[in-house]
Amino acid sequence: QHQPEGIEYPELPGATCVHKFHDGPTYGYSFTWKRFESFVTERNIPVLYETPGRELIQDGETREIIGVRAEKDGKSVFIKARRGVVLTCGGFENNQEMIRNYLPGVSYCYPSGTPYNEGDGIAMALSVGADLWHMNNFAGPSMALKVPEFPATFSIQALHFAKEYPGGMIIVGPDGGRFYDEKFKHRHGKVPINGVWSPMHVPTPMFMVFDQDMMSAAPLYNKNPNRGWTPIITRYDWSDDNSAELEKGWIKKGETIEDLARTIGLDPAALGATVERWNAQTAAGEDADFGRKLMLSPLAKGPFYAMELSPSMINTQGGPRRNEKARVLRPDGTPIPRLYSAGELGSIYSYLYQGTGNIGECLAFGRIAGRNVAAETAWS
Ligand SMILES: Cc1cc2nc3c(=O)[nH]c(=O)nc-3n(C[C@H](O)[C@H](O)[C@H](O)COP(=O)(O)OP(=O)(O)OC[C@H]3O[C@@H](n4cnc5c(N)ncnc54)[C@H](O)[C@@H]3O)c2cc1C
């Protein structure tokens, strides 16, 4: 299915060059992965699991990349490259220090995808003199549940821009006030602020506050295993009536809004005033504060509930700077000999992200890097 009109930022210059194919149930999701995996298994390419690369080995004089030091069971494993090294070990979705240092507007953020992308490729590339680019660009933030028991986030159904739930629901920040249209269809975490698409404001800790009607309506989590680490890998079996998650403390309960506020550490008067204002606006049929159009229902029926939400992201875009030949560059623009990269580790997306562009870039730069490294002279 070819939908060039479905691209994420059609208003930006150059958007007509972008062509998007999206058909998840037929070609996407795990089908894409299985196809990619078959290219490796059919050619018997060995994959060393649980052997993370830790260091690039560089010739002290020529600065060529000779190979990699990896670790297996706590011991170093040295792997000599035949012609060169292609870094493809993803971004820094699960490195909280890098997130604080590089991503705008978030003091922490959790991945909805793999928790094993911890910025190792960035550390390795920096150590051999690479420049970095696009470190402040990421596909996020959105808001999701993160619990200590599991490494990635849970997507909450009532926050989906198109899904309607019975009952009342708002999201508040640490001051007990709302801060946005909770049902806005953001673009990978970007919203228009003064006419510019910018990262969504996520004042942490944030709480989704809702009433008994929403609690009783359906599971709050979408466990359909079509995308994301938690549904596909963790496969947590969320209870149909949300009672198990209430029991675990992932959802908090209060007989009144003020009780609930005390339980989650918010000012009872502030949260009470926010709910009162929201309820009055729903009665008038208009969210005068943020223009929300969906689920304009009051928080009417107690007891009341709250779930803490965390900033969540799909992936980061930054990493070592590469050129059109997929060669990793130094700050002066010269390539580091025999070092290449592909994928989201130093992706080409600098400011915003045209949705679906990451896999496309993996294919394009994977091929470019592969061809160019194969054309290098083999070590004797
Ligand atoms: C929920 C979700 C939905 C998405 N939807 C889309 C979409 O519709 N279209 C699209 O284009 N993109 C989408 N993306 C983004 C896209 O999937 C990724 O950007 C892309 O898969 C990145 O591929 P990669 O090979 O660069 O990195 P990854 O696929 O992240 O692979 C990196 C690998 O490196 C491994 N690794 C990490 N550190 C080391 C180390 N030190 N040594 C060795 N290995 C290491 C990791 O374990 C991981 O297996 C989505 C992402 C998520 C999470």
Side-chain angles (χ1 to χ4, degrees):
Q1 200 179 346
H2 188 192
Q3 296 178 322
E5 75 283 359
I7 66 168
E8 200 156 10
Y9 293 97
E11 71 275 30
L12 293 187
T16 48
C17 307
V18 183
H19 295 274
K20 171 182 166 180
F21 295 82
H22 191 272
D23 191 341
T26 314
Y27 306 113
Y29 307 138
S30 59
F31 296 105
T32 312
W33 165 250
K34 282 176 186 154
R35 187 84 185 110
F36 292 169
E37 192 188 25
S38 71
F39 298 142
V40 175
T41 50
E42 280 165 13
R43 287 180 287 177
N44 288 325
I45 297 172
V47 178
L48 306 182
Y49 290 104
E50 296 182 13
T51 314
R54 293 291 180 222
E55 205 181 338
L56 293 164
I57 312 293
Q58 187 172 35
D59 185 293
E61 283 180 16
T62 65
R63 317 310 287 169
E64 287 163 293
I65 301 303
I66 300 167
V68 173
R69 182 182 72 79
E71 277 173 8
K72 177 79 181 165
D73 300 329
K75 293 198 184 106
S76 285
V77 180
F78 292 89
I79 301 160
K80 186 172 179 187
R82 243 180 297 175
R83 297 166 196 271
V85 171
V86 184
L87 286 173
T88 61
C89 49
F92 55 99
E93 293 85 358
N94 205 19
N95 181 322
Q96 294 303 327
E97 194 175 345
M98 284 190 182
I99 286 168
R100 269 196 303 283
N101 283 338
Y102 294 118
L103 297 185
V106 285
S107 52
Y108 58 88
C109 193
Y110 297 107
S112 60
T114 174
Y116 294 112
N117 286 356
E118 298 178 315
D120 293 358
I122 293 166
M124 287 191 272
L126 277 175
S127 301
V128 295
D131 192 11
L132 299 180
W133 70 351
H134 309 157
M135 292 297 284
N136 62 353
N137 193 13
F138 70 126
S142 58
M143 292 179 274
L145 171 69
K146 169 71 176 68
V147 293
E149 295 93 318
F150 297 108
T153 53
F154 288 69
S155 157
I156 299 303
Q157 303 229 52
L159 302 183
H160 189 278
F161 65 88
K163 286 186 183 159
E164 295 260 31
Y165 255 64
M169 179 279 291
I170 56 173
I171 300 177
V172 298
D175 63 355
R178 291 177 66 220
F179 49 90
Y180 214 69
D181 167 3
E182 294 86 345
K183 300 291 287 178
F184 187 78
K185 186 182 180 190
H186 57 80
R187 300 183 182 179
H188 282 94
K190 304 302 180 288
V191 295
I193 298 176
N194 295 105
V196 175
W197 288 92
S198 313
M200 184 161 66
H201 179 48
V202 278
T204 49
M206 305 170 288
F207 296 92
M208 181 174 84
V209 178
F210 53 102
D211 67 4
Q212 181 63 48
D213 282 344
M214 191 171 122
M215 180 72 170
S216 330
L220 295 170
Y221 163 66
N222 178 4
K223 59 185 170 187
N224 182 21
N226 63 7
R227 68 178 86 183
W229 188 266
T230 304
I232 294 178
I233 308 294
T234 304
R235 299 217 169 194
Y236 172 76
D237 190 18
W238 191 282
S239 61
D240 288 341
D241 59 359
N242 305 301
S243 60
E245 293 68 34
L246 180 66
E247 183 84 6
K248 286 174 193 291
W250 299 359
I251 301 169
K252 307 284 188 206
K253 179 178 177 181
E255 289 306 317
T256 64
I257 289 291
E258 287 71 19
D259 285 343
L260 183 67
R262 276 186 281 275
T263 304
I264 58 178
L266 298 187
D267 176 9
L271 186 61
T274 300
V275 171
E276 201 175 310
R277 181 172 173 78
W278 169 253
N279 287 352
Q281 289 182 334
T282 61
E286 188 190 357
D287 172 11
D289 295 331
F290 300 109
R292 180 167 138 190
K293 298 277 185 287
L294 288 181
M295 291 174 62
L296 281 183
S297 308
L299 282 95
K301 193 172 162 199
F304 298 96
Y305 300 90
M307 177 190 282
E308 183 174 341
L309 299 174
S310 295
S312 172
M313 73 169 114
I314 284 183
N315 65 309
T316 57
Q317 306 292 352
R321 184 173 152 210
R322 69 168 79 106
N323 68 8
E324 77 287 358
K325 297 191 169 104
R327 300 187 72 169
V328 174
L329 304 178
R330 303 182 180 101
D332 67 3
T334 58
I336 297 172
R338 297 182 189 265
L339 184 61
Y340 297 79
S341 74
E344 66 174 39
L345 174 66
S347 91
I348 57 173
Y349 296 100
S350 59
Y351 163 53
L352 297 169
Y353 163 65
Q354 286 280 17
T356 77
N358 273 129
I359 303 265
E361 182 178 4
C362 286
L363 295 175
F365 270 95
R367 180 173 277 213
I368 293 168
R371 284 185 177 163
N372 287 334
V373 77
E376 296 271 9
T377 314
W379 295 101
S380 53

